[in-house]
Amino acid sequence: MKDFPYTEKKDTRSGFGAGLHELGKTNPNVVGLCADLTPSLKMDAFAKDFPERFFQVGIAEANMIGLAAGMTIGGKIPFTGTFANFTTSRVFDQIRQSVSYSGKNVKIAASHSGLTLGEDGATHQVLEDIGMMKMLPHMTVINPCDFNQTKAATIAAAEHDGPVYLRFGRPSVPNFTPADQKFEIGKALMLNEGKDVTIFATGHMVWEAIEAGHILAEKGIDAEIVNIHTIKPLDVEAVIASAKKTGAVVTAEEHQINGGLGESISGVLSRELPTPVEFVAVMDTFGESGTPAQLMEKYGLKAENIVEKALKAIGRK
Amino acid sequence: MSFNITDEEVKKLEDVASQVRRDILRMVHGCGSGHPGGALGCTDLLVALYFKEMTHNPEFSMDGKDEDLFFLSNGHISAVLYSTLARAGYFPVPELATHRKINSRLQGHPATEEGLPGIRMASGSLGQGLSVAAGAAQTKKLNGDDKFVYVLMGDGEQQEGQIWEAAMYAPHNKVDNLIGFVDYNNAQIDGSTDEVLNLLDLGAKYKAFGWHVITCEKGNDMKTVLETIQEAKAASKQGTPVMVLLKTEMGHPIDFMVGTHKWHGQAPNDEQLASALGQVKETLGDY
């Protein structure tokens, strides 16, 4: 099992802020919109340095999505920013009609996704957003794992022609991917090659998967770990190739079991290569208030849970 | 103010409007469904915009650089937009016969998916067009493009919350190249807007939100409509967006369609079509 050294923990939302600020310097067509959460989204540097391209829309998310769709007409590349909950379930119809169905080049930046938003509780902890967004035709769904990858994904989203849902979060997590990485939308990243079981993980759960890999190695189990940063389009080829090699699969995500990464992967495998799949996800329930660590433990989203499901999947071979 | 309108122009535009109304009636009859009432009521506005007041290019480009843009937020009156676009040269007039039918570019509600020239945004789920238009208007400002962005909404549509998010945003951000129209016919599916959910003093509401408000009492009189658009343009680019309350008659001028909300979403049968076509003359040739 490979080691993944890192020097610091950072929040993925700051990776977005850094990527957006970089885009402000390099791409004059990039504009930012925010619904009264500029510091939370780490959009303040962009707002300060590119004020003519930053639009404060107030607490009016539906209008923000519509504005962004309209701004694309004439060549702008809008990034909208608010919490994941307020930019998916609250405005699903606006995204569906004005962005996705209209094929507009809007980048929907979603922070504070999942349980790790923490103390604010279930009103704010959206666990259904990946499902909603991946169901929309034309939509690309990205959920990077650390600061560096989120920054790279933000830049890649601007280069991609079409609507993108970019999901990230609040907690500080190990920043272990390369600072100079080129982010390829739709390309699964092999983190550790193994032969006994594959762990497909996305977002914050990638680090948990790495920790699970170490625990499994101590038990003599050789886990393959794949970072699925793009849930749609899914890297079907990589999923099938890995499942073929290991014959057992675990998916890990900070999302409902319904509608998430696990569902996408099991869908592919049931069609192409029936394989035992176990799911680490939130099991069709709402979250609650607590610290991120407490919540991840209570709802079964820790490395230990991945290990348990890996053993179960192997047992089903 | 003085207006740039000649009697000959008015006559010519009235002829175009007459043909557009025939197209609308035949289109909704042809597929047995659709929304003739609002489409007929807004015909004079769309013809005035596309055949006189807007700078636009039927060689369609999505970005519409250095062109005036028009967004139809109340997408259910698509028939009037399709006919106007076809008659203005955006796509072949015979294609109007495919409206609302399988494999058509003329979807029940306007869409970009099939690539119909002239459509920049899907609409139909109500309340979204004012936001989109405000965004497009801001991009024009960023691009140094001095053209206008127009948007048409229904009056029933004013019941949607998103409208008021956009209504608050546009004046605050001085989106003064944006001209909105409300098709103020006091009719929606379940009855009059007064009965369903009263808009009360809609003009006062927009004024309170910071808009320059113009009320046009005769939205089915071509000369008055032209004057109203020119007045709206003259009031623009002075720091505030402009909203025009355009008083129209749903179903205008078909005698059995006016004075009721019942023709909001119903197609005429063969006899009704014949009667209606007898009331609007063929001026440019039916498709």
Side-chain angles (χ1 to χ4, degrees):
Chain A
M1 176 70 198
K2 272 166 64 179
D3 273 327
F4 295 89
Y6 63 93
T7 53
E8 59 180 341
K9 289 187 173 184
K10 289 173 98 168
D11 49 350
T12 49
R13 61 180 166 156
S14 288
F16 164 68
L20 187 66
H21 190 257
E22 177 81 17
L23 286 167
K25 290 186 277 188
T26 58
N27 190 335
N29 281 325
V30 167
V31 300
L33 299 89
C34 192
D36 197 33
L37 285 168
T38 310
S40 293
L41 267 286
K42 304 296 180 187
M43 294 173 85
D44 24 14
F46 182 91
K48 178 173 167 287
D49 288 346
F50 310 101
E52 74 288 352
R53 286 191 273 146
F54 178 75
F55 301 90
Q56 170 60 263
V57 303
I59 309 166
E61 295 83 6
N63 186 44
M64 178 166 70
I65 296 298
L67 287 168
M71 284 178 180
T72 65
I73 298 167
K76 297 303 171 213
I77 305 171
F79 280 76
T80 64
T82 184
F83 288 176
N85 189 30
F86 309 142
T87 200
T88 53
S89 52
R90 188 180 184 89
V91 294
F92 186 74
D93 187 44
Q94 283 77 15
I95 294 176
R96 180 176 180 274
Q97 175 172 288
S98 292
V99 176
S100 175
Y101 186 41
S102 293
K104 293 294 177 252
N105 195 22
V106 174
K107 317 303 170 183
I108 300 161
S111 185
H112 294 56
S113 61
L115 289 174
T116 49
L117 169 140
E119 294 81 352
D120 280 345
T123 54
H124 288 50
Q125 290 160 347
V126 73
L127 295 164
E128 302 83 22
D129 56 326
I130 290 174
M132 281 183 276
M133 292 299 110
K134 81 175 188 182
M135 280 198 293
L136 290 172
H138 304 319
M139 185 64 76
T140 292
V141 180
I142 299 174
N143 186 29
C145 69
D146 69 1
F147 173 97
N148 285 341
Q149 192 160 80
T150 308
K151 182 181 177 187
T154 303
I155 291 163
E159 289 164 358
H160 172 80
D161 185 21
V164 173
Y165 180 66
L166 182 60
R167 181 193 211 234
F168 46 89
R170 183 184 179 217
S172 290
V173 292
N175 185 26
F176 70 96
T177 66
D180 62 350
Q181 67 190 285
K182 172 80 181 161
F183 189 93
E184 271 187 77
I185 292 173
K187 178 86 177 155
L189 293 178
M190 177 67 71
L191 293 179
N192 188 70
E193 297 211 28
K195 61 177 179 12
D196 298 329
V197 61
T198 304
I199 305 167
F200 293 113
T202 189
H204 297 141
M205 293 304 288
V206 171
W207 187 256
E208 297 296 328
I210 288 169
E211 295 204 321
H214 287 299
I215 299 169
L216 288 164
E218 286 167 16
K219 297 178 189 290
I221 292 166
D222 186 10
E224 180 145 300
I225 300 171
V226 184
N227 174 5
I228 307 285
H229 56 54
T230 307
I231 291 152
K232 184 185 173 187
L234 188 65
D235 191 342
V236 171
E237 212 171 283
V239 167
I240 294 169
S242 183
K244 197 170 191 174
K245 181 163 69 164
T246 64
V249 165
V250 179
T251 64
E253 61 195 307
E254 194 183 342
H255 189 272
Q256 296 286 4
I257 185 169
N258 296 315
L261 170 69
E263 187 189 81
S264 289
I265 284 180
S266 56
V268 166
L269 293 177
S270 68
R271 286 189 297 272
E272 305 288 341
L273 184 75
T275 306
V277 182
E278 294 291 331
F279 305 91
V280 174
V282 176
M283 296 296 167
D284 197 21
T285 180
F286 288 105
E288 64 182 82
S289 291
T291 66
Q294 288 168 337
L295 290 162
M296 295 294 268
E297 188 178 341
K298 176 164 177 177
Y299 289 86
L301 303 184
K302 298 294 291 177
E304 295 73 22
N305 306 104
I306 298 174
V307 168
E308 181 195 331
K309 295 292 174 72
L311 295 173
K312 198 169 167 193
I314 291 167
R316 289 172 56 199
K317 278 196 200 180
Chain B
M1 66 178 283
S2 65
F3 300 103
N4 167 27
I5 304 163
T6 66
D7 290 345
E8 294 72 37
E9 278 176 334
V10 172
K11 171 73 177 60
K12 180 180 155 265
L13 293 174
E14 285 172 345
D15 282 351
V16 175
S18 184
Q19 186 64 54
V20 167
R21 287 190 160 99
R22 287 182 70 87
D23 290 347
I24 292 166
L25 290 161
R26 297 180 70 242
M27 287 163 75
V28 295
H29 172 265
C31 62
S33 69
H35 299 81
L40 291 165
C42 290
T43 299
D44 304 289
L45 174 67
L46 266 76
V47 169
L49 285 170
Y50 275 92
F51 285 82
K52 161 86 171 148
E53 297 297 337
M54 276 170 53
T55 301
H56 67 103
N57 185 359
E59 297 296 316
F60 177 69
S61 77
M62 180 57 79
D63 281 342
K65 190 173 180 306
D66 298 320
E67 290 183 59
D68 295 323
L69 308 182
F70 174 81
F71 293 99
L72 182 67
S73 188
N74 49 334
H76 56 276
I77 67 165
S78 57
V80 64
L81 178 58
Y82 294 148
S83 169
T84 303
L85 289 172
R87 296 290 174 180
Y90 279 79
F91 57 87
V93 171
E95 198 172 341
L96 294 175
T98 70
H99 174 53
R100 294 176 78 96
K101 294 178 179 169
I102 192 77
N103 298 326
S104 173
R105 298 195 293 178
L106 281 65
Q107 291 293 297
H109 293 79
T112 57
E113 186 89 354
E114 293 77 17
L116 185 69
I119 308 296
R120 293 190 166 88
M121 185 66 60
S123 60
S125 178
L126 293 172
Q128 301 186 28
L130 190 59
S131 303
V132 170
Q138 287 197 295
T139 282
K140 284 210 173 286
K141 281 173 172 271
L142 285 170
N143 288 345
D145 178 340
D146 66 355
K147 294 296 182 288
F148 289 104
V149 176
Y150 298 95
V151 57
L152 172 61
M153 302 173 281
D155 53 0
E157 186 179 10
Q158 303 302 302
Q159 294 156 1
E160 291 281 7
Q162 187 183 347
I163 296 278
W164 299 100
E165 294 185 3
M168 203 181 301
Y169 178 89
H172 179 83
N173 290 282
K174 299 185 169 49
V175 189
D176 58 2
N177 53 346
L178 172 64
I179 298 175
F181 296 91
V182 176
D183 177 20
Y184 208 16
N185 60 16
N186 192 30
Q188 58 188 111
I189 292 177
D190 278 359
S192 71
T193 54
D194 292 351
E195 293 164 344
V196 175
L197 188 60
N198 202 323
L199 304 175
L200 296 175
D201 191 342
L202 186 61
K205 286 177 178 161
Y206 272 103
K207 271 185 199 139
F209 276 71
W211 291 67
H212 180 91
V213 176
I214 296 170
T215 300
C216 173
E217 296 289 342
K218 295 197 290 183
N220 293 119
D221 177 77
M222 185 59 77
K223 185 161 182 288
T224 307
V225 171
L226 290 166
E227 289 174 355
T228 300
I229 298 168
Q230 292 186 13
E231 184 187 344
K233 285 193 214 175
S236 295
K237 300 183 179 168
Q238 295 174 39
T240 58
V242 176
M243 187 60 66
V244 178
L245 306 186
L246 189 73
K247 293 195 177 172
T248 67
E249 192 172 39
M250 184 177 272
H252 184 89
I254 309 304
D255 56 8
F256 61 88
M257 289 187 171
V258 297
T260 170
H261 63 274
K262 290 182 180 148
W263 290 92
H264 169 93
Q266 184 184 319
N269 62 27
D270 292 350
E271 280 172 30
Q272 289 163 333
L273 177 70
S275 167
L277 290 178
Q279 300 173 47
V280 279
K281 71 173 187 283
E282 184 179 350
T283 53
L284 303 174
D286 287 339
Y287 63 82

